[in-house]
């Protein structure tokens, strides 16, 4: 399973890269707005840290402008994945960019049939937003299960399922059990995966018992 960092925080991205937990980065207009930084230079900086796919999202909604924005974003670096919304115009942009060899991440996916269209349009990644479905009382991971089943039925599809809007470790656990290709998470959620009280207790006991030996390895 690939871990993408769902953030534009350069320190957090570097921290994950240093731990071998960074396979890519995703951003969106809200994440960029929250950073308070200039979009293109920030994406350039992220691409210097992350060798894997870096998703940079178009800002417009009409085909012609999204195409121009997408081509500009794709030109930033080889590992840019242009992010487009799951709309008719967005899928048309997806088809055009992917036909020209550009990675495309189709985002704001909330149904299995939307994901089917994205695969047919040549998306590199599909981003179903599980947390936002949970937020309205649905079960976001059911969407992942259905998309994986549909994609498995058609070997000609190569679109990777990129679980997005991840809120907690259970989303990651269920994604891994289902065989999703990627999860994109706030770095804080990834860091929660290290923690277990029995690990902490066990390590404390080892340290205490080692002290009693009076020995040193070095
Ligand atoms: O990558 C999509 C993700 O950023 C959306 O997450 O928490 O805004 O639903 P959220």
């Amino acid at each position: 399973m690939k871990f993408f960092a769902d953030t534009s925080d350069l320190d957090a991205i570097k921290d994950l890269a240093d731990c071998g937990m960074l396979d890519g980065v995703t951003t969106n207009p809200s994440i960029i707005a929250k950073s308070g930084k200039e979009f293109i230079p920030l994406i350039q900086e992220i691409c210097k840290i992350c060798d894997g796919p870096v998703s940079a999202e178009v800002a417009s909604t009409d085909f012609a402008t999204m195409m121009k924005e997408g081509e500009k974003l794709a030109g930033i670096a080889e590992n840019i994945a242009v992010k487009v919304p799951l709309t008719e115009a967005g899928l048309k942009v997806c088809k055009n960019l992917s036909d020209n060899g550009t990675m495309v991440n189709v985002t704001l996916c909330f149904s299995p049939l939307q994901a089917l269209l994205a695969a047919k349009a040549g998306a590199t990644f599909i981003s179903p937003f599980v947390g936002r479905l949970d937020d309205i009382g649905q079960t976001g991971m059911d969407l992942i299960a259905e998309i994986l089943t549909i994609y498995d039925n058609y070997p000609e599809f190569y679109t990777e399922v990129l679980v997005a809007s991840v809120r907690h470790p259970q989303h990651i656990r269920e994604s891994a059990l289902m065989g999703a290709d990627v999860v994109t998470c706030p770095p804080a959620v990834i860091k929660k995966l290290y923690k277990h009280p029995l690990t902490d207790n066990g390590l404390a006991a080892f340290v205490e018992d080692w002290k009693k030996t009076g020995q040193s390895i070095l």
Side-chain angles (χ1 to χ4, degrees):
M1 170 180 268
K2 288 178 266 190
F3 283 176
F4 288 9
D6 196 34
T7 184
S8 64
D9 181 322
L10 297 175
D11 291 337
I13 292 168
K14 193 174 181 322
D15 189 36
L16 287 172
D18 291 347
C19 303
M21 296 300 158
L22 185 77
D23 299 303
V25 173
T26 56
T27 68
N28 61 41
S30 302
I31 286 175
I32 299 303
K34 189 178 168 190
S35 77
K37 296 184 177 178
E38 284 297 305
F39 182 32
I40 304 286
L42 180 55
I43 296 296
Q44 289 169 332
E45 286 305 307
I46 293 172
C47 289
K48 289 175 188 170
I49 302 170
C50 178
D51 296 332
V54 174
S55 290
E57 188 161 345
V58 297
S60 299
T61 56
D62 66 289
F63 170 75
T65 315
M66 282 198 282
M67 270 305 295
K68 290 176 186 160
E69 291 174 343
E71 287 164 347
K72 180 169 183 180
L73 294 175
I76 293 172
E78 286 292 312
N79 58 323
I80 287 288
V82 175
K83 222 178 186 184
V84 297
L86 212 153
T87 61
E88 188 170 354
L91 290 180
K92 193 174 170 186
V93 172
C94 175
K95 176 82 173 88
N96 278 268
L97 291 177
S98 58
D99 282 353
N100 292 328
T102 297
M103 286 193 287
V104 180
N105 179 355
V106 177
T107 191
L108 289 169
C109 173
F110 294 97
S111 85
L113 294 178
Q114 284 182 317
L116 175 60
L117 297 181
K120 288 184 68 65
T124 313
F125 303 106
I126 182 67
S127 290
F129 280 28
V130 296
R132 294 193 189 184
L133 287 168
D134 290 356
D135 291 346
I136 62 168
Q138 295 185 20
T139 305
M141 292 311 296
D142 287 350
L143 172 58
I144 302 303
E146 285 196 18
I147 294 170
L148 288 168
T149 300
I150 290 170
Y151 282 12
D152 285 349
N153 289 342
Y154 301 97
E156 68 272 26
F157 288 166
Y158 50 80
T159 302
E160 293 190 32
V161 178
L162 193 165
V163 182
S165 188
V166 167
R167 296 275 195 279
H168 45 67
Q170 278 309 314
H171 280 149
I172 300 173
R173 175 178 170 274
E174 291 178 46
S175 296
L177 286 169
M178 290 180 189
D181 302 282
V182 189
V183 287
T184 192
C185 316
V189 175
I190 297 177
K191 286 200 173 288
K192 284 180 181 175
L193 303 183
Y194 292 109
K195 295 299 286 178
H196 195 290
L198 290 183
T199 302
D200 296 342
N201 294 346
L203 182 57
F206 286 164
V207 168
E208 202 50 40
D209 289 344
W210 178 254
K211 277 181 189 166
K212 293 171 188 169
T213 71
Q215 298 180 57
S216 170
I217 294 172
L218 300 178

